[in-house]
């Protein structure tokens, strides 16, 4: 098990990653009560192990339905009122036990319930263990607007047990692995090459291999958010692949792609874009594309309307004053954030990748 430290505006907190991590929950002290927020299926599968490892007796979790629909203001209100009915006070602890949806919702509720109570992230998906549970961004969606309402509110700690990943579907695992690839591109040749040898035929049951991968990927996120908690600059690099990715999710009504899969395409697209604007050597581009493809197959994009996808790009919420902050790979281990990319190159990159006319 590894202990990573995150620096935040309100102090430091631990990210515990590895086998046995849930047992560190025994060390939580000084709370009047502990509440677990989770989903029914997850609790059924893993609730008794979590309670046993953490040393909790008679846990009656607060349950929300699985799926992005639970990240709503209405659901936050329901969770808060259930907390209140059950007697949660300012010294209560909320444990968010689930993927990014439960983590974002739980963090949001914790940050606002009685003006803020402590919470712990216990992430159960690859995406949540390497990304969403770390860094203290919380949010809910408002109508179709993802993450429109949210807070920066660091957790008291993050506790990631790789064993829980064994029940993920192969596709859900792969979706998280695209985010891991993103972290490897940001990190540099050492992690990148290591991942290249580890990704092939990786299955959810291989928790030992996953433990090593998740630990290294989590470290990348820890390093970035420790240096830039509030996304003033550096943290933007985490958006690699997300500009095109969000447009792909939106144009397909969030039905065709899992988030990581859209980011997978997004990374291929910005890699091509970086080549086209002369920022990236094509041989390096080929290596990046190769690693993305190694994470697994991606749902098709050939039958999407380029015009619609490109039309959705400027609405990226990271756009400031109508500009898009493109995150472009310059080489493995270095990206450049720039608004300075001609529309023609943006369209050409989409066309090349969509036609399969590049590095496939
Ligand atoms: N806060 C941040 O910094 C941040 C960063 C990235 C993404 N996010 C958010 O994270 C969310 C996506 O997270 P996600 O991909 O974890 O989705 P998710 O929480 O919906 O989980 C994906 C699916 O896996 C199931 N599941 C979770 N753990 C499981 C397990 N161990 N075994 C079997 N099934 C399991 C869930 O029920 C769900 O159906 C989005 O809402 C996104 O906006 C937040
Ligand atoms: Zn993402």
């Amino acid at each position: 098990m590894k202990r990573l430290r995150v620096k935040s505006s309100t102090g430091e907190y631990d990210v515990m990653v590895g086998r046995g991590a849930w047992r560190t929950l025994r060390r939580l002290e000084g709370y009047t009560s502990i509440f677990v927020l989770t989903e029914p299926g997850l609790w059924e599968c893993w609730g008794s192990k979590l309670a046993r490892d953490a040393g909790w007796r008679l846990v009656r979790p607060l349950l929300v339905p699985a799926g992005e629909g639970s990240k709503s203001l209405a659901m936050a209100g329901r969770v808060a009122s259930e907390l209140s009915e059950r007697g949660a006070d300012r010294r209560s602890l909320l444990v968010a036990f689930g993927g990014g949806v439960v983590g974002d919702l739980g963090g949001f509720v914790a940050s606002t319930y009685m003006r803020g109570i402590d919470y712990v992230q216990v992430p159960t998906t690859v995406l949540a263990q390497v990304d969403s549970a770390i860094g203290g961004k919380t949010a809910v969606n408002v109508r179709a607007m993802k993450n429109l309402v949210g807070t920066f509110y660091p957790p008291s700690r993050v506790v990631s047990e790789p064993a829980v990943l064994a029940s993920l579907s192969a596709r859900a695992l792969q979706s998280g692995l695209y985010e891991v690839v993103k972290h490897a591109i940001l990190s540099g040749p050492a992690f990148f090459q290591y991942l290249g040898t580890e990704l092939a035929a990786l299955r959810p049951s291989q928790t030992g291999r996953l433990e090593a991968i998740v630990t290294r990927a989590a470290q990348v996120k820890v390093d970035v958010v420790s240096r830039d908690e509030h996304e003033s600059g550096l943290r933007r690099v985490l958006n690699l692949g997300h500009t095109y990715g969000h447009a792909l999710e939106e144009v397909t009504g969030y039905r065709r792609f899992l988030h990581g899969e859209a980011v997978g395409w997004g990374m291929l697209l910005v890699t091509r874009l970086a080549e086209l604007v002369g920022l990236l050597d094509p041989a390096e581009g080929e290596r990046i594309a190769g690693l993305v493809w190694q994470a697994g197959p991606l749902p098709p994009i050939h039958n999407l309307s380029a015009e619609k996808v490109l039309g959705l790009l400027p609405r990226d919420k990271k756009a400031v004053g109508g500009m898009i902050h493109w995150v472009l790979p310059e080489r493995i281990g270095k990206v450049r954030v720039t608004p300075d990319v001609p529309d023609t190159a943006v369209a050409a990159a989409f066309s090349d990748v969509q036609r399969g006319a590049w590095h496939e």
Side-chain angles (χ1 to χ4, degrees):
M1 191 183 356
K2 264 204 131 164
R3 172 166 166 256
L4 317 174
R5 294 285 283 171
V6 183
K7 282 201 211 84
S8 86
S9 50
T10 52
E12 299 194 350
Y13 61 91
D14 285 340
V15 179
M16 308 299 301
V17 206
R19 234 158 320 155
W22 287 352
R23 280 200 282 277
T24 65
L25 292 167
R26 288 174 181 258
R27 290 182 223 141
L28 294 170
E29 277 159 13
Y31 294 105
T32 51
S33 49
I34 295 177
F35 293 88
V36 180
L37 180 72
T38 189
E39 297 166 354
L42 207 52
W43 188 251
E44 214 165 283
C45 200
W46 294 102
S48 52
K49 175 174 163 56
L50 177 69
R52 198 169 54 242
D53 283 5
W56 299 329
R57 275 167 297 140
L58 298 171
V59 190
R60 191 162 57 93
L62 290 96
L63 295 174
V64 296
E68 189 71 28
S70 281
K71 258 178 68 173
S72 69
L73 280 168
M75 193 61 75
R78 273 172 52 188
V79 173
S81 73
E82 198 172 335
L83 280 171
S84 156
E85 276 161 28
R86 294 214 211 161
D89 61 24
R90 286 204 172 80
R91 305 280 315 145
S92 295
L93 176 76
L94 186 67
V95 175
F97 179 51
V101 164
V102 166
D104 279 13
L105 173 70
F108 181 73
V109 171
S111 72
T112 47
Y113 184 76
M114 294 187 168
R115 301 205 171 77
I117 60 172
D118 282 1
Y119 77 117
V120 171
Q121 291 278 16
V122 184
T124 63
T125 62
V126 174
L127 176 127
Q129 293 194 351
V130 306
D131 191 354
S132 63
I134 304 165
K137 279 214 272 177
T138 88
V140 294
N141 308 323
V142 177
R143 274 181 283 154
M145 287 164 287
K146 287 256 300 168
N147 303 328
L148 185 70
V149 173
T151 55
F152 278 105
Y153 194 69
S156 305
R157 71 173 76 168
V158 182
V159 177
S160 295
E161 164 62 66
V164 76
L165 304 176
S167 58
L168 289 173
S169 68
R171 187 177 173 199
L173 172 74
Q174 274 159 17
S175 176
L177 293 177
Y178 294 107
E179 300 274 6
V180 173
V181 169
K182 178 188 84 177
H183 290 195
I185 296 168
L186 296 176
S187 166
F191 185 19
F192 191 92
Q193 273 157 25
Y194 162 79
L195 197 59
T197 62
E198 283 296 309
L199 265 193
L202 186 62
R203 289 186 308 281
S205 58
Q206 293 173 308
T207 48
R209 282 170 72 186
L210 279 168
E211 174 170 355
I213 291 171
V214 163
T215 305
R216 290 184 80 152
Q219 180 75 61
V220 176
K221 174 96 186 218
V222 166
D223 290 345
V224 173
V225 299
S226 290
R227 285 187 281 163
D228 174 25
E229 188 181 16
H230 289 134
E231 203 152 331
S232 45
L234 176 70
R235 193 167 172 162
R236 284 207 188 102
V237 303
L238 295 166
N239 234 25
L240 179 70
H242 283 63
T243 308
Y244 281 114
H246 285 148
L248 290 172
E249 286 181 287
E250 204 171 333
V251 82
T252 51
Y254 292 88
R255 279 187 292 272
R256 183 179 303 186
F257 306 103
L258 298 178
H259 173 71
E261 293 169 341
V263 173
W265 277 119
M267 287 188 292
L268 294 169
L269 289 158
V270 282
T271 302
R272 180 60 180 149
L273 182 55
E275 285 180 9
L276 286 175
V277 298
L279 207 60
L280 178 72
D281 173 27
E284 192 85 333
E286 189 164 1
R287 280 193 283 277
I288 294 176
L291 193 65
V292 174
W293 284 118
Q294 244 184 291
L298 290 167
I301 59 165
H302 61 81
N303 54 358
L304 297 178
S305 150
E307 201 187 336
K308 280 193 187 145
V309 173
L310 299 173
L312 287 168
L313 287 176
R315 285 178 51 195
D316 187 287
K317 75 175 183 335
K318 303 282 146 81
V320 177
M323 289 184 309
I324 299 179
H325 285 273
W326 287 101
V327 185
L328 302 178
E330 273 190 87
R331 58 171 192 269
I332 292 160
K334 189 164 196 301
V335 295
R336 180 182 297 187
V337 182
T338 172
D340 234 356
V341 176
D343 289 350
T344 48
V346 173
F350 189 79
S351 165
D352 289 353
V353 174
Q354 189 182 36
R355 286 184 294 119
W358 168 81
H359 297 334
E360 277 187 42

